[in-house]
C-alpha cells in the first residue's frame, strides 16, 4: 500500500486464515495405528471395535469380489470402494434404521449396511430395475447425477421436520468433485435455511476421475465451504473408522436435536480406478502420490489396534473373507436369476395413468414379448 | 488419407482448429491430462498447453457460463459436457442464455461456442449416460444441433462447428466412437452444418435417419434389397435446421418414406421431419409416412436396452409395411 498507510481491509490475510478452524482433522488412530485420542477410543467396547473391523473387511472383500465379477463381465457400471472403508462404514454405522440415506454411485456398501441386499446392489450395477427397489427401506437408489442427491436430501430433511418425526435425520454422500456442483451449495443452503435435520458427507478421496482435489477449488478445505451457508462443519481423518464414526454420531445427534444440518469432510483415498468402465489412474497420478495413501490403509490401521489388544488375528480375518466371498457369490447367483425386464413394464411405469399413446405402445410390446 | 475411427476423426478436427485459431479453447471435466473419459481430446493439452486445453471444476452450469463469458471476451470456446445426460445441469446456460444471446444483443454479438457431448444407447452405460436428448435442443431457436454418423463427417462437421459464429450443439455417438472406420483426409476440410446426405441411393422408398440409426437403416436397406425393394437412405446430419430440400427430392423420386430415430417417439426429430413432408409433399406420397422410434418410456435400464432401441429389423418391418401399402 502506498505511503505505508494501513489498509481498511486485508484480503490476503483474510484468505490466509479462512481454513484455520480446519487445520487439524479429527483423528483417534493415527497413520501408524497409534491411538492419539485414548479417551475417545475408551468409549468403544471391544465388540464394537471388532465389529468396525469386520465391516471394513466385509467392504474390502465386497470390493475385491466385485472387481472379479466385473472382469468376468458379470456386472455393469461399478465404482470401486477400496480405501474408503473407514469413511463409508464409520459413517453409515452411526445412523439408525429410520434415518434416510441418499447415496451416490460409490455408496452401495452403505446402502447394503442400511438394509438392502447385496443382490440388489449387483442388480443395480447390471442395470436391472430390481436394483432400484428398496421397499420399506429408508433410502434412494444410487445417484448418478452428481449433486442431485444433495438438494433432494434438503427436501427429505424438511419433510422429516414437517412430519415432526423424532430422532430421525437424512444423510447423504458426494465426492470432493461433487462439492463444485451448484446442487451441492443449494442443498446445504436449503437445509440450513430451513434448519432441517441433515448430515452432508463429502468423501474427499482426492480425485474426481482425473481431476485432483486442488483443481476443484482454491479453498484449502472442503469443510470450510459450509461456513458460508451458516452450517457447522468438520474435517475428519477418513481412514480412521473410529474418528469417522464418532464425528458422524455427534453430527447425527446435533441434527436430530433440531439444530439444523452439519457438513463432514472425510479425508480418504480411492485406491483403484474411478469406475469399472475403463478408467486408468496411471494416466493422471503417480506411484509417489499413491504410496503414502496405500500405507494409510484403514484396515492396516485398525488391524494394528485390534492385534495390540489381542482382539484380532490373521486367521480370523482369512476365515471371514472366505465367508463373505461365499455370501457375495450367492448374491451374484441370486442377481443372475432375476427375470428379464420387459419394455411393456417400463411403459407401464412411465406414468401412473398411461396416456392413450403409451397404452397403445404397451399393447404393441406385450404382443412382441409374448412371442 | 488414413483410416480413422469416428473418435480419432473428431480429435483430428479439434487438433486442426486449435492449430489454426489461437482463440479456440477446449475445456470441461477430465478433458486435459486424461484426454476426456473417451480420449477424444487426448494429446491436445500436451500439444497446446493448459491455457488452451484445461479441466474445470465439476459443474456443467459453470462450464456453460464460462463458455458464454469467454465468447463475450473474444474467445472461441469448445466446452465438453461429459455425457449428454448432464446437459440438464447446463440447461439454462445452453437454452436459457447462450441460444438467445445473439438475438438479445440485437445481432451485434456472436457466440461461437461449440458444445461437444457424447450420447446414444446400446453400450450398457449407467443411467443418464445414453439418452437421446436432442428433442429438447432442436426446439431451441438460436442453436444449431448436428450429429455426424461417420468419421468423415465427424471431422468435417466439428471443424465447421467450431468455425461457425452461431452456437452449435455437437452430438457424438457413443456407439460409433470406435465401431467404424473411414478414409479421412489428414488436411482440413469442412462439411456443412445444414445439409443432409443421401448415403444410399434407391428408387422405391426413402428412409430418413440420423446418427447410429443410419447404420441400422443401411442394414435394413440391404435386407430389403434381397426382395428387390430398393431403399434410399438419407442421413440427416443436421437436426436443426433440417435439410428438407434433400428429403423432398427423395420423396419425389420414391413416393414412400419411413422416418427413423433412436429417441422416444413423442415430439422428436422424426415428428418434425414427418410434418415437414406432410406439409409440402403430401400429394407426392403413395403411402402414409412410416415412423420408427423408441417407445415413450423413460430410457430403459441397461440390461433391457437391446429390446428397446429400434434396430434394423424394426426399420425393415416398417419399410415393408409402407412399401406394400
Ligand atoms: C452432473 C454430472 N456430471 C458429470 C458426471 C460424470 N462423472 C461421474 S463421476 C465424476 C467424478 C466425481 O468425482 P467425485 O465427486 O470426487 O466423487 P468420486 O467419484 O471420486 O467418489 C464425474 C465427472 C456425472 N455423473 N454427473
Amino acid at each position: 500500500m502506498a505511503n505505508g498507510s494501513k489498509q481498511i481491509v486485508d484480503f490476503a490475510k483474510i484468505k490466509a486464515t479462512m481454513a484455520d478452524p480446519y487445520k487439524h482433522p479429527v483423528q483417534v488412530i493415527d497413520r501408524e495405528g497409534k491411538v492419539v485420542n485414548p479417551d475417545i477410543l475408551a468409549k468403544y467396547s471391544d465388540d464394537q471395535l471388532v465389529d468396525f473391523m469386520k465391516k471394513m473387511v466385509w467392504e474390502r472383500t465386497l470390493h475385491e469380489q466385485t472387481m472379479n465379477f466385473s472382469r468376468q463381465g458379470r456386472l455393469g457400471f461399478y465404482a470401486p470402494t477400496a480405501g474408503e472403508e473407514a469413511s463409508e462404514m464409520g459413517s453409515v454405522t452411526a445412523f439408525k434404521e429410520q434415518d434416510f440415506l441418499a447415496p451416490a454411485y460409490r455408496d452401495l456398501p452403505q446402502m447394503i449396511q442400511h438394509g438392502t441386499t447385496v443382490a440388489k446392489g449387483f442388480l443395480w450395477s447390471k442395470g436391472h430395475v430390481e436394483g432400484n427397489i428398496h421397499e420399506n427401506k429408508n433410502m434412494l437408489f444410487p445417484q448418478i447425477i452428481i449433486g442431485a442427491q444433495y438438494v433432494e436430501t434438503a427436501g427429505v430433511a424438511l419433510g422429516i421436520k414437517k412430519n415432526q418425526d423424532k430422532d430421525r435425520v437424512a444423510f447423504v454422500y458426494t465426492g470432493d468433485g461433487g462439492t463444485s456442483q451448484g446442487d451441492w451449495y443449494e442443498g446445504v443452503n436449503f437445509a440450513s435455511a430451513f434448519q432441517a435435520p441433515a448430515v452432508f458427507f463429502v468423501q474427499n478421496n482426492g480425485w474426481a476421475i482425473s481431476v485432483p482435489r486442488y483443481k476443484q477449488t482454491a479453498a484449502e478445505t472442503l469443510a470450510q465451504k459450509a461456513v458460508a451457508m451458516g452450517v457447522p462443519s468438520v474435517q475428519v481423518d477418513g481412514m480412521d473408522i473410529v474418528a469417522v464414526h464418532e464425528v458422524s454420531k455427534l453430527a447425527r445427534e446435533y441434527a436430530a436435536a433440531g439444530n439444523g444440518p452439519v457438513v463432514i469432510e472425510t479425508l480418504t483415498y480411492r485406491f483403484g480406478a474411478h469406475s469399472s468402465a475403463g478408467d486408468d489412474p496411471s494416466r493422471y497420478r503417480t506411484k509417489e502420490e499413491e504410496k503414502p495413501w496405500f500405507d494409510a490403509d484403514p484396515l492396516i490401521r485398525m488391524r494394528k489396534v485390534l492385534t495390540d489388544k489381542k482382539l484380532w488375528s490373521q486367521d480370523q480375518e482369512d476365515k471371514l473373507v472366505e465367508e463373505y466371498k461365499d455370501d457375495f457369490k450367492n448374491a451374484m447367483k441370486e442377481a443372475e436369476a432375476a427375470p428379464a425386464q420387459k419394455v411393456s413394464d417400463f411403459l407401464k411405469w412411465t406414468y401412473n395413468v398411461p396416456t392413450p399413446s403409451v397404452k397403445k405402445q404397451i399393447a404393441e410390446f406385450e404382443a412382441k414379448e409374448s412371442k | 488419407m488414413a483410416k480413422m475411427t469416428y473418435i480419432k476423426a473428431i480429435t483430428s478436427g479439434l487438433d486442426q482448429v486449435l492449430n489454426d485459431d489461437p482463440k479456440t479453447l477446449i475445456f470441461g471435466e477430465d478433458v486435459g491430462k486424461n484426454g476426456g473419459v473417451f480420449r477424444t481430446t487426448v494429446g491436445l493439452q500436451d500439444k497446446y498447453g493448459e491455457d488452451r486445453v484445461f479441466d474445470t471444476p465439476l459443474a456443467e452450469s459453470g462450464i456453460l457460463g464460462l463458455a458464454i463469458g469467454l465468447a463475450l471476451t473474444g474467445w472461441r470456446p469448445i466446452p465438453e459436457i461429459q455425457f449428454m445426460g448432464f446437459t440438464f445441469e447446463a440447461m439454462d446456460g445452453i437454452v436459457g442464455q447462450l441460444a438467445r444471446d445473439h438475438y438479445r444483443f440485437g445481432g451485434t454479438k456472436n457466440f461461437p461456442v461449440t458444445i461437444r457431448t457424447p450420447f446414444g444407447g446400446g453400450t450398457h452405460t449407467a443411467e443418464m449416460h445414453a439418452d437421446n436428448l436432442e428433442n429438447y435442443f432442436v426446439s431451441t431457436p438460436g442453436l444449431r444441433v448436428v450429429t455426424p454418423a461417420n468419421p468423415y463427417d465427424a471431422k468435417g462437421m466439428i471443424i465447421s462447428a467450431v468455425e461457425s459464429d452461431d452456437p452449435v450443439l455437437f452430438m457424438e455417438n457413443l456407439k460409433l466412437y470406435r465401431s467404424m472406420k473411414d478414409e479421412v483426409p489428414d488436411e482440413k476440410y469442412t462439411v456443412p452444418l445444414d445439409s443432409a446426405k443421401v448415403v444410399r441411393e434407391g428408387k422405391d422408398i426413402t428412409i430418413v435417419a440420423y446418427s447410429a440409426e443410419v447404420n441400422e437403416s443401411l442394414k435394413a436397406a440391404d435386407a430389403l434389397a434381397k426382395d428387390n425393394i430398393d431403399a434410399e437412405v438419407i442421413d440427416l446430419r443436421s437436426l436443426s435446421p433440417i435439410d428438407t430440400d434433400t428429403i423432398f427430392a427423395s420423396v419425389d423420386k420414391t413416393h414412400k418414406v419411413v422416418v427413423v430415430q433412436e429417441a422416444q417417439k413423442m415430439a422428436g426429430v422424426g415428428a418434425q421431419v414427418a410434418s415437414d413432408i406432410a406439409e409440402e409433399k403430401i400429394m407426392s406420397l403413395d403411402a402414409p409416412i412410416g415412423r420408427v422410434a423408441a417407445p415413450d418410456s423413460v430410457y430403459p435400464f441397461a440390461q433391457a436396452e437391446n429390446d428397446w432401441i429400434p434396430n434394423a429389423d424394426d426399420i425393415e418391418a416398417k419399410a415393408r409395411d409402407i412399401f406394400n401399402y
Side-chain angles (χ1 to χ4, degrees), chain A residues 21-224:
Chain A
Y22 301 94
K23 288 276 159 71
H24 302 285
V26 175
Q27 200 175 48
V28 175
I29 303 165
D30 76 5
R31 286 189 165 216
E32 275 67 53
K34 207 173 92 223
V35 178
V36 292
N37 224 323
D39 293 353
I40 301 299
L41 194 77
K43 292 178 23 183
Y44 289 84
S45 70
D46 288 353
D47 282 354
Q48 272 176 301
L49 296 177
V50 168
D51 188 57
F52 282 153
M53 185 66 196
K54 280 186 176 170
K55 290 212 160 63
M56 289 201 290
V57 171
W58 173 85
E59 182 171 340
R60 181 66 55 88
T61 313
L62 175 65
H63 160 86
E64 274 160 11
Q65 193 58 52
T66 312
M67 297 312 286
N68 277 337
F69 288 146
S70 285
R71 274 188 289 272
Q72 297 162 6
R74 293 164 80 184
L75 284 177
F77 172 87
Y78 172 71
T81 56
E84 304 192 29
E85 291 86 355
S87 172
E88 299 197 335
M89 292 299 105
S91 55
V92 72
T93 49
F95 292 87
K96 301 188 178 171
E97 207 182 335
Q98 67 267 28
D99 295 336
F100 196 97
L101 163 62
Y105 49 82
R106 207 178 296 284
D107 303 318
L108 282 174
Q110 294 101 299
M111 293 179 67
I112 298 163
Q113 287 298 333
H114 200 58
T116 193
T117 64
V118 179
K120 293 254 187 199
F122 292 159
L123 280 164
W124 176 79
S125 164
K126 287 157 71 70
H128 193 294
V129 62
E130 282 298 322
N132 278 36
I133 305 169
H134 311 284
E135 264 183 311
N136 307 320
K137 303 290 172 196
N138 294 304
M139 64 181 79
L140 271 160
F141 43 82
Q143 179 60 258
I144 289 290
I145 295 302
I146 291 170
Q149 73 275 33
Y150 254 55
V151 269
E152 292 170 6
T153 294
V156 172
L158 182 58
I160 288 173
K161 183 172 171 176
K162 283 183 175 299
N163 288 333
Q164 298 184 312
D165 291 352
K166 290 279 168 279
D167 193 31
R168 188 169 187 217
V169 306
F171 66 115
V172 55
Y173 297 85
T174 58
D176 41 297
T179 63
S180 296
Q181 284 284 359
D183 278 357
W184 191 92
Y185 299 93
E186 293 177 29
V188 177
N189 190 52
F190 268 50
S192 174
F194 293 111
Q195 289 290 286
V199 179
F200 295 100
F201 283 97
V202 176
Q203 301 200 86
N204 175 1
N205 66 11
W207 293 89
I209 309 186
S210 71
V211 182
R213 149 59 191 98
Y214 67 83
K215 284 195 179 170
Q216 291 297 333
T217 172
E220 259 183 84
T221 69
L222 301 176
Q224 78 196 63

Side-chain angles (χ1 to χ4, degrees), chain B residues 207-258:
Chain B
I207 302 176
V208 181
Y210 58 95
S211 194
E213 294 290 345
V214 173
N215 289 343
E216 294 302 309
S217 299
L218 288 169
K219 277 190 231 161
D222 286 345
L224 292 165
K226 287 186 191 134
D227 287 336
N228 290 321
I229 304 171
D230 187 15
E232 177 145 301
V233 178
I234 295 178
D235 174 2
L236 275 181
R237 300 198 293 198
S238 172
L239 311 184
S240 178
I242 285 171
D243 171 12
T244 46
D245 289 352
T246 300
I247 299 168
F248 293 166
S250 181
V251 170
D252 280 339
K253 183 165 69 165
T254 65
H255 309 293
K256 287 174 179 162
V257 60
V258 170

Side-chain angles (χ1 to χ4, degrees), chain B residues 56-92:
Chain B
T56 63
L58 203 174
E60 291 74 15
S61 168
I63 291 168
L64 250 293
L66 204 68
I68 294 168
L70 284 163
L72 274 170
T73 46
W75 295 88
R76 194 171 281 275
I78 314 171
E80 176 181 293
I81 299 295
Q82 200 162 74
F83 285 91
M84 196 175 198
F86 314 151
T87 54
F88 287 125
E89 272 56 36
M91 214 56 171
D92 183 53

Side-chain angles (χ1 to χ4, degrees), chain B residues 5 8 15 31 50 118 125 159 169 179 186 196 206 225 235 243 245 251 265 287 317 319:
Chain B
T5 54
K8 272 269 173 311
D15 190 354
V31 300
E50 278 203 53
T125 55
I159 293 172
L169 182 69
S179 65
D186 294 320
T206 301
D235 174 2
D243 171 12
D245 289 352
V251 170
K265 192 168 185 182

